[in-house]
Every structure is written in structure tokens, then in C-alpha cells.
Amino acid sequence: MRIFPIISAFCLIAIIALGTAQAQETTVRKSDVVRLLGELPNLSPIREDMEALGFRGEKLEMAVDQITRMLRDPVIANNIADRVIAARDPSVQSVESGGLFWPLVDRGLGHLTARDIRYFYLVEQTMLKALPHRLCGLTVKERLPAERLAKATGSIAARLNTPALREYYRIQFRAAQLGATRDVARLSMRDEARIIVKINEALGRTLADRDDAKALMRAYEDLRRVSNRRACIAGRVFMDAVLSMEGRDLHHALILLSTP
């Protein structure tokens, strides 16, 4: 699950339209795409989108500023421009399906400090627990469309306290910057094998006192085949287990979770 403020469809349409129009004439100029990205906060209804999700007052200003800063950051904007240009030929699905920023945040998460990646996943844990069982279960099963997930979690983000939202946005921005210049962080085969054992041990400890432990263990075998409610509970328990870990084990576990 990746929580992110909505970028209205207008933004994607405008960027794609520029790439398509120029593709019909000559080579797309990267500088033009970057320029358009910087202008989007003035052209698209970002503030209205955030208000529709429930953002008000200082948190509304923070959400709008976060999107504006992302669109105007040279490192992030250049990466987005490259993706738009690369996607202009057969389709734009690679840009639309992952959104403008999610792919960058995903790639950058594993490069965050141990403190920052833990905070990021603590917020995601909060979001997962706040979702209704059906949406939570579909999220755990990875069956909830990105746009619908963004709307659902965006409305929850609007209810976070201001300091927590500010810190989350700081980490999110840093992850996007790192993801714009680096590939996904990966553990060595040895570390991955070790941390899988540690995660299973942590999960076993978390399940030990639960009456539904056997049902959850069966659910982990194939989450796609269980009810949304059961998948949701399984996902929440798993996140509880991982975030109960400490030190290097926790850091490596979160890097593993961040690996596609």
C-alpha cells in the first residue's frame, strides 16, 4: 500500500497531451515537459481535490505544498519527464498506472534511513487499520485500483495530526528524490534468507496468543482465496509482527517489504 495525495486526472492528461502532440511532430523536448510539470499547480484543481478528501486549514496547505514541491523539484521532475517521453509511443499505461510519484517513492523507500523507513511504515500501518475491512482486504490482496486506494487513504491522511502528516510528507519527498536517481534497494541473498526467518519468528510470536492463529496461518498460504475481512486481519497482524522487530532486523525487514 502506498499512501499519496491525489494528482487530478487533469495533470496526467495535460502531460500526456504534450508528449503526444510533440511526438507527432518531432522529438519531445524534455525541458517542455519539465516546464509543464512546474506549471501544473496553477493549472489543475489540486486544492479542490485535497479539500474533497477532507484536508482543511494548515493540513490543506501542507498537502498542496507537498504536491507543488514534488512537481517543481528538478530531480523528481526530470525523472517524470523521462517516463512521459518513454511512454509516448504505444501507450501511457506506465505513467498512468503508477501515477507520477508512486514509482519513485517505491524505489526510494529502501534507501531511507532506518528511522525514516520505520516511520513511513508506521503511518501505513495506521492507514491499514483505519480502512474498512473490505477496502483493507482488497489492498492486502493487491486488488484495489491505485486511484481508489489513494482516495481512501487520502481521506484518512487528512485526519492525521499535523506533526505526523508533516513528518510523513518529509519522508515521502525524500523517498521520491532517492527513487528518482537510484534503483530499488535489495538485500543480499544471504541477508534476505536470514530476514525471512526472522520475520517468520516475529509472526509466530504475534500469533501465539491469538485464538484465530490457525485460520490466519491458512490465510497466509493464499490470501487471494480468503474473504476480504480475513485478508485484512492477516495483513494487519503481519504488519504488527514486522514492526515489533528491532534494530538491524527491522531495517532489513522493511527493505524487503519495499522490494517489488
Side-chain angles (χ1 to χ4, degrees), residues 14-35:
I15 296 169
I16 293 163
L18 173 65
T20 302
Q22 289 193 351
Q24 293 173 349
E25 299 174 4
T26 182
T27 302
V28 178
R29 291 190 297 273
K30 183 176 177 178
S31 60
D32 286 338
V33 179
V34 171
R35 175 180 54 77

Side-chain angles (χ1 to χ4, degrees), residues 94-250:
S94 60
V95 178
E96 290 179 323
S97 61
L100 297 179
F101 305 132
W102 280 338
L104 303 184
V105 175
D106 284 344
R107 280 209 304 272
L109 281 176
H111 297 289
L112 292 171
T113 65
R115 177 201 172 279
D116 282 356
I117 194 172
R118 176 179 178 273
Y119 193 96
F120 185 94
Y121 275 99
L122 282 171
V123 174
E124 292 225 324
Q125 180 191 43
T126 299
M127 297 285 184
L128 194 64
K129 290 183 176 181
L131 285 173
H133 279 121
R134 180 174 180 276
L135 295 182
C136 168
L138 289 172
T139 298
V140 171
K141 294 177 181 181
E142 298 185 338
R143 289 180 178 173
L144 192 65
E147 182 179 355
R148 191 173 177 192
L149 175 61
K151 288 181 179 179
T153 54
S155 63
I156 298 170
R159 301 197 297 270
L160 292 174
N161 65 64
T162 302
L165 186 63
R166 181 181 295 109
E167 180 67 358
Y168 179 77
Y169 279 167
R170 179 191 69 78
I171 294 169
Q172 191 184 69
F173 180 75
R174 181 56 179 156
Q177 283 189 317
L178 290 169
T181 57
R182 303 185 189 184
D183 201 356
V184 176
R186 298 183 185 279
L187 299 173
S188 67
M189 292 180 64
R190 180 178 179 179
D191 281 338
E192 182 174 327
R194 182 189 70 82
I195 207 60
I196 288 174
V197 172
K198 293 291 185 180
I199 290 174
N200 284 332
E201 290 174 354
L203 183 59
R205 290 192 295 270
T206 302
L207 289 171
D209 297 325
R210 294 187 63 97
D211 294 335
D212 58 354
K214 290 183 178 179
L216 290 176
M217 288 301 295
R218 289 194 296 271
Y220 290 128
E221 294 174 3
D222 190 352
L223 288 170
R224 296 169 298 178
R225 300 187 65 177
V226 302
S227 69
N228 289 327
R229 180 181 178 84
R230 180 69 69 191
C232 175
I233 295 171
R236 291 172 178 175
V237 170
F238 180 81
M239 285 301 300
D240 287 345
V242 171
L243 289 169
S244 72
M245 299 168 70
E246 298 178 345
R248 179 169 171 261
D249 288 347
L250 173 61

